[in-house]
Amino acid sequence: MNAPSRESLKGVDLLSEINRLKKERNAVILAHYYQKPEIQDLADFVGDSLELSKRAAETDADVIAFCGVKFMAETAKILSPQKTVILPDLAAGCSLEDACPPGKFKAFRDAHPDHIALTYINCSAEVKALSDIIVTSSSAETILAQIPLDQKIIFGPDRHLGGYLSRKFNRDMLLWPGVCIVHEAFSETELLKLKAQYPGVPVAAHPECPPHIIDHADYVGSTSGILQFARTLTGDTLIVATEPHIIHQMEKSEPSKKFIGAPGADGNCACNICPYMALNTMEKLYLALRDLQPQITLDEEIRLAAKRSLDRMLEMASGTIGKGDLGRA
Ligand code: 13P
Ligand code: SF4
């Protein structure tokens, strides 16, 4: 329904139309760092999952145009139910969400009644509703540190983030077996070749990367944490092991530094571009603002249950906004 042919929008000045509609609708445009540069550049705010959740909860706009993936737009709707939340392409999902169907998650929870569910925000509203506390990559460490050591924990759906936290905190957790297909695609062999080519150049990695990539990282953190690391870097080059669209913000902020995306399997593939994030385009954003479609709608019972676990995250994470930091590996 919201898949325009290029022909139909020929001659439309998309940028000025988006800006016009934004004012007309009293809309705010929120974008994740993995969006295309043209979308990041027109957004009112670009951030990581935690920062975007906070912005969505605080905005006084009538419409939130969310340029990210569905679980992020759902989070905005959970926190701001009175707002109209639009996502340019409803098919913008996430492999982590797909890996964790609510029915199976509920059965797993029921099988472990003495465990709490600490759940990564990259999941459906239904899974959030079945969880106790939500975390993002920039809030996970602060939150985990507040959970008593004798409390048993299920961590889902990202087994790499869960494994990273578990190793760092020396704490056993039952890990749900989901992965991010984008971070999973980095190649250790190719990364080692790149490091040999750039001796001494640091590597910054997202904790969704598997351990064989994290093991070579000088810094591990959320997208905003990696961006902050790039800003404060004393050297002039950085290898970036996360979705490469974040490099746009790094180059804007630090034009004299060189940022190199970590390679995938053949050293030169586009396998580290998130295919879900890439579904959002200027054309679809324009149509979404014009038609106020596709909209995020949620069952009220699920929304309220999901809000409880998200609110718990926002309370426990307070003070972490902007730091985006899981620290060194
Ligand atoms: P951040 O919260 O670090 O931006 O991560 C979101 C995400 O989906 C990473 O793949
Ligand atoms: Fe999901 Fe990975 Fe894309 Fe992030 S990069 S939205 S975790 S598939």
Side-chain angles (χ1 to χ4, degrees):
M1 145 187 190
N2 202 24
S5 77
R6 291 209 167 262
E7 272 324 292
S8 64
L9 297 178
K10 217 172 160 188
V12 177
D13 180 343
L14 291 170
L15 182 57
S16 60
E17 279 301 291
I18 287 169
N19 282 325
R20 181 184 66 76
L21 285 164
K22 194 178 82 166
K23 279 200 194 98
E24 203 173 291
R25 300 287 192 201
N26 186 27
V28 64
I29 300 178
L30 303 182
H32 188 265
Y33 291 125
Y34 296 166
Q35 290 293 285
K36 300 175 206 306
E38 63 266 33
I39 293 182
Q40 293 189 39
D41 287 348
L42 64 76
D44 296 293
F45 180 76
V46 189
D48 73 2
S49 305
L50 181 62
E51 293 164 337
L52 289 165
S53 309
K54 288 283 285 182
R55 289 284 168 144
E58 285 161 5
T59 182
D60 55 10
D62 296 318
V63 175
I64 299 173
F66 212 113
C67 298
V69 290
K70 194 171 165 211
F71 77 80
M72 296 178 174
E74 278 185 353
T75 299
K77 186 70 181 175
I78 291 166
L79 295 171
S80 285
Q82 71 286 9
K83 316 268 185 225
T84 298
V85 179
I86 49 176
L87 178 68
D89 192 324
L90 267 192
C94 172
S95 64
L96 286 166
E97 174 176 348
D98 293 347
C100 193
K104 283 192 177 160
F105 187 70
K106 183 174 184 316
F108 191 67
R109 281 225 66 180
D110 290 347
H112 300 93
D114 52 346
H115 288 61
I116 61 163
L118 191 62
T119 306
Y120 194 30
I121 197 165
N122 297 38
C123 63
S124 63
E126 288 85 349
V127 169
K128 287 184 178 70
L130 291 165
S131 300
D132 296 296
I133 312 170
I134 300 301
V135 300
T136 69
S137 52
S138 60
S139 61
E141 192 169 313
T142 309
I143 289 171
L144 187 55
Q146 294 171 58
I147 300 174
L149 287 175
D150 59 355
Q151 175 61 62
K152 294 179 183 165
I153 298 173
I154 291 171
F155 188 94
D158 185 358
R159 74 181 163 93
H160 292 321
L161 173 60
Y164 171 75
L165 293 165
S166 181
R167 287 190 300 280
K168 187 160 183 187
F169 278 70
N170 193 21
R171 193 161 177 172
D172 272 345
M173 298 193 284
L174 283 180
L175 303 181
W176 188 267
V179 296
C180 161
I181 50 166
V182 172
H183 291 83
E184 183 81 348
F186 289 118
S187 156
E188 182 181 23
T189 310
E190 295 300 326
L191 179 61
L192 288 175
K193 281 191 210 161
L194 191 64
K195 277 170 73 83
Q197 208 183 324
Y198 292 92
V201 165
V203 175
H206 196 281
E208 287 175 12
C209 289
H212 57 259
I213 297 297
I214 296 282
D215 285 349
H216 302 293
D218 299 276
Y219 174 82
V220 180
S222 72
T223 50
S224 58
I226 292 175
L227 186 54
Q228 187 59 17
F229 184 75
R231 289 188 175 128
T232 52
L233 187 71
T234 47
D236 60 2
T237 310
L238 178 66
I239 297 171
V240 180
T242 193
E243 213 273 6
H245 283 110
I246 194 174
I247 291 176
H248 177 60
Q249 290 295 325
M250 295 176 178
E251 288 173 341
K252 274 173 81 170
S253 164
E254 304 297 313
S256 64
K257 295 178 187 168
K258 182 178 164 108
F259 300 104
I260 307 168
D266 69 0
N268 197 24
C269 64
C271 46
N272 302 114
I273 291 181
C274 176
Y276 308 104
M277 291 275 182
L279 288 174
N280 295 325
T281 60
M282 294 283 279
E283 286 86 350
K284 290 180 201 170
L285 174 58
Y286 160 71
L287 288 176
L289 280 164
R290 189 190 71 185
D291 303 340
L292 290 184
Q293 289 290 342
Q295 273 189 35
I296 301 291
T297 53
L298 293 169
D299 173 88
E300 185 61 3
E301 205 177 314
I302 287 171
R303 186 190 74 78
L304 286 172
K307 188 172 182 301
R308 267 198 300 276
S309 59
L310 270 168
D311 281 345
R312 209 164 286 157
M313 168 184 83
L314 293 172
E315 282 158 26
M316 294 176 82
S318 60
T320 63
I321 301 295
K323 289 183 188 150
D325 193 356
L326 278 167
R328 272 173 196 271

